[in-house]
Amino acid sequence: FELITRRYPSSDLEIMHQVLGNKEYQPIKDLFETGDSLKVIDAGANVGFTSIYLKSAFPNAQILCLEIDNNNAAQLKKNIQLNRLEGVTILEKALWKRNAFLEIKRD
C-alpha cells in the first residue's frame, strides 16, 4: 500500500511506526482468516494507517472510519483514495458514551 504523511509536528510518522513498524494490530490479524468478512469500526481513524493495514490483511472487510478532526479526515480520505480501497466509509464524527458536544483541544 501507499501512504501520504504530513510533516512534523503532525503525529503521522509516529502513528505509522506504531501501526506498521511495531505491528500493533498483528494480534487481530492472527485471530482471523484473510477471507473473513469482518466489520470494523476504526474510531479515531486519524489518517487511516490502521484501516489500510486491516483492509490489506482482510480484503473483504467493511470498515467504518470515524475521525472528527477535519485535517486528519482530509488526509484519511487521500490515503483511502490513493489505495483505491472499497468497502471503507469515512464519517467526520466521534464516538462517545452519550450524545454530547465535543471540542478538540490541542494544548
Side-chain angles (χ1 to χ4, degrees):
F1 40 82
E2 296 180 54
L3 301 169
I4 299 172
T5 61
R6 297 169 294 183
R7 293 180 183 193
Y8 182 81
S10 85
S11 60
D12 291 2
L13 291 175
E14 181 182 333
I15 294 170
M16 184 175 71
H17 179 72
Q18 198 176 334
V19 172
L20 304 174
N22 292 343
K23 299 183 180 182
E24 189 169 84
Y25 295 98
Q26 184 68 39
I28 293 171
K29 195 173 172 183
D30 294 342
L31 283 175
F32 299 97
E33 299 293 323
T34 300
D36 287 350
S37 297
L38 305 178
K39 294 187 188 291
V40 177
I41 298 175
D42 187 355
N46 196 270
V47 299
F49 301 136
T50 299
S51 292
I52 292 168
Y53 174 81
L54 291 174
K55 190 66 175 173
S56 70
F58 306 104
N60 298 326
Q62 296 293 310
I63 301 178
L64 174 61
C65 298
L66 302 176
E67 179 51 59
I68 197 164
D69 181 274
N70 58 347
N71 293 322
N72 288 347
Q75 192 69 31
L76 168 62
K77 289 173 188 173
K78 288 178 188 175
N79 280 325
I80 297 301
Q81 290 170 351
L82 178 65
N83 288 280
R84 297 179 183 89
L85 298 182
E86 294 184 17
V88 178
T89 303
I90 300 168
L91 296 178
E92 290 187 43
K93 305 250 180 217
L95 182 64
W96 200 248
K97 61 184 176 183
R98 59 180 159 69
N99 286 336
F101 284 103
L102 300 176
E103 182 180 340
I104 298 172
K105 293 207 173 206
R106 299 187 194 293
D107 58 358

